[in-house]
Amino acid sequence: MKSFNQPQRQSAIGILILLGYDAQKFLRAFWPILLVTLVRNDFTNLYFILSVVGVILFLGIQAFLKYWFFRFYIDENRGEFVVEKGVIQKSKINIPLEKIQQVNLTQNILHKIVQVYNVEIDTAGSSNQEVSINALSLLLAKELKSKLLEGEKKLSEEGETSATTNINESKPLFGISFFTLLKIGLTSKYRESIALFLVFLIGLIDSLNKLEDNQLVDGQQVENYLSQWSALQFLVFSIPTIILLLLLVNLVRTLLNFFDYKVFQNEDTLLFRYGLLRTREVLLKPYKVQKFLLRQNWFQKKFSLWEIYIEQASSGKTTTKPKEKLQIPGANQQEWQQLLQIVFGAVPILNIKLYPNIRKWIISGFILSILCIPVIAFIHYVLALEIIWLLVVIYILLVWILTGIAFKNYRLHVNEAFIQKTSGVWDIDHELIPIYKIQGVETSQYFWQKKYDVGSVTIFTAGGNLSFNTTQYNKIVPLVNYWLYVTETSHKKWM
């Protein structure tokens, strides 16, 4: 195995990777100018050609300097992984090896073309990626990964083995088929796709406005075309089109992100490999998992499929963004139970159930109902719609129905070793944490809640927090005392 004791650089081909990253950032920043140039057909203009050549030279020199001044090595005496980088402003990052949570190998299209890997290093104590090494050969990347993940051992010890070499990659623990990804792609991520569609729509409108300002688009002609459509025709055409586009976006994103998803296992390690255009390889130590989240909506329930999110130690923020979690899409019940057995050593049977007080539903419904008042006033002032009060009634009915569903699904399940919170309206989340991994517990009760024995509890873990509100306070207190006792007396390894 190669030694990483001396400072070394990435593969020289990494200059092209860095150039590609910088060129991508430049295109994102200046694409409106390029669009105007394309419309005007000014590509033969001498100033444009000189500008392009100048930009290419600048980006090329910048990429080379970034490559040359980027060095990394392992300081075995101090047990640290050290990265030195910076052209004008120098920086040095020292990461204790025992703090490293994950070392992920990824490949985008450019990496695949030049046959190198990007190494991403995540640590406890930060919710963001600490270090990214842009270009290493597969052999060198795997050797570095093995060294970094052996931080809890003495790196100079003879006979140590790679964490990845023991994994039997010829026989995966389980995989996700193409047809399963199709089902997941059509039944998940609606909110993300709607947000992506709105961003695209706003960008398109902004671009059209800029083209109109530059007299490249006739705004009056566009308005005349749109005026030919009646409101009913527009709705009949646009709603199915938008739904179809959202489903298509969901499907494409799912296939690109999770294509050929496979999970491998050895005695104490899990390896996740997936992706089409950008291949990811994530190595996971089960004992470092802090939270296990199962998600399922109505469509996925009919297909007997679940989405799984696995969270390790983070910076202690209240929430962790879904994209920062390790996701396993489309697992059936046998597969997620098998994974849960590996990660937590058991598939828990939860025998105590806590319910929220009815006031939670009433307060949520009331607040969301009155929030529509300024919106209604604005719509009525601008459009003077005759059916505005019908829309108000429909909105309020929907609010109380949806908050009622959320209230019905809001539960806290407990046994002697695990806590599980269930919540959601459409996507039902089941968050599971072992009691011995709790870092702290906070209970709260406002003075007006004492009369009705209502209170809340927040459970702090290294993978994020879990809160349960407006439940029976006299049942929470003894549970909290038991949880604190378990965490104080447990000697199990949790990180």
Side-chain angles (χ1 to χ4, degrees), residues 235-363:
L235 288 175
V236 170
F237 173 77
S238 62
I239 292 177
T241 302
I242 291 173
I243 292 174
L244 184 62
L245 285 174
L246 290 177
L247 290 175
L248 184 61
V249 169
N250 272 350
L251 186 59
V252 171
R253 288 172 64 220
T254 302
L255 291 175
L256 292 180
N257 290 336
F258 301 113
F259 181 77
D260 195 29
Y261 201 113
K262 287 185 173 59
V263 181
F264 305 89
Q265 181 203 10
N266 72 348
E267 294 180 358
D268 61 349
T269 307
L270 289 169
L271 174 68
F272 302 83
R273 183 182 296 137
Y274 56 93
L276 183 59
L277 298 182
R278 186 173 186 264
T279 304
R280 289 180 60 85
E281 186 176 292
V282 181
L283 201 63
L284 179 72
K285 294 285 188 180
Y287 68 85
K288 294 183 178 181
V289 174
Q290 307 296 314
K291 187 189 294 184
F292 194 94
L293 188 149
L294 290 165
R295 177 173 294 164
Q296 188 182 54
N297 58 41
W298 186 83
F299 289 126
Q300 292 167 349
K301 188 175 183 180
K302 296 301 179 183
F303 291 130
S304 299
L305 295 175
W306 300 74
E307 295 178 68
I308 302 172
Y309 296 89
I310 296 176
E311 298 182 42
Q312 295 190 85
S314 67
S315 61
K317 294 183 178 180
T318 303
T319 57
T320 306
K321 296 179 180 179
K323 69 179 182 180
E324 295 173 349
K325 305 170 186 175
L326 176 62
Q327 182 180 354
I328 302 99
N332 58 39
Q333 182 171 345
Q334 180 183 353
E335 289 167 346
W336 70 253
Q337 287 184 346
Q338 185 179 18
L339 198 58
L340 193 58
Q341 182 72 43
I342 295 170
V343 170
F344 288 151
V347 178
I349 299 175
L350 303 162
N351 47 26
I352 301 176
K353 185 184 293 186
L354 299 181
Y355 301 89
N357 189 279
I358 190 68
R359 289 169 179 77
K360 181 175 178 61
W361 181 21
I362 296 172
I363 294 172

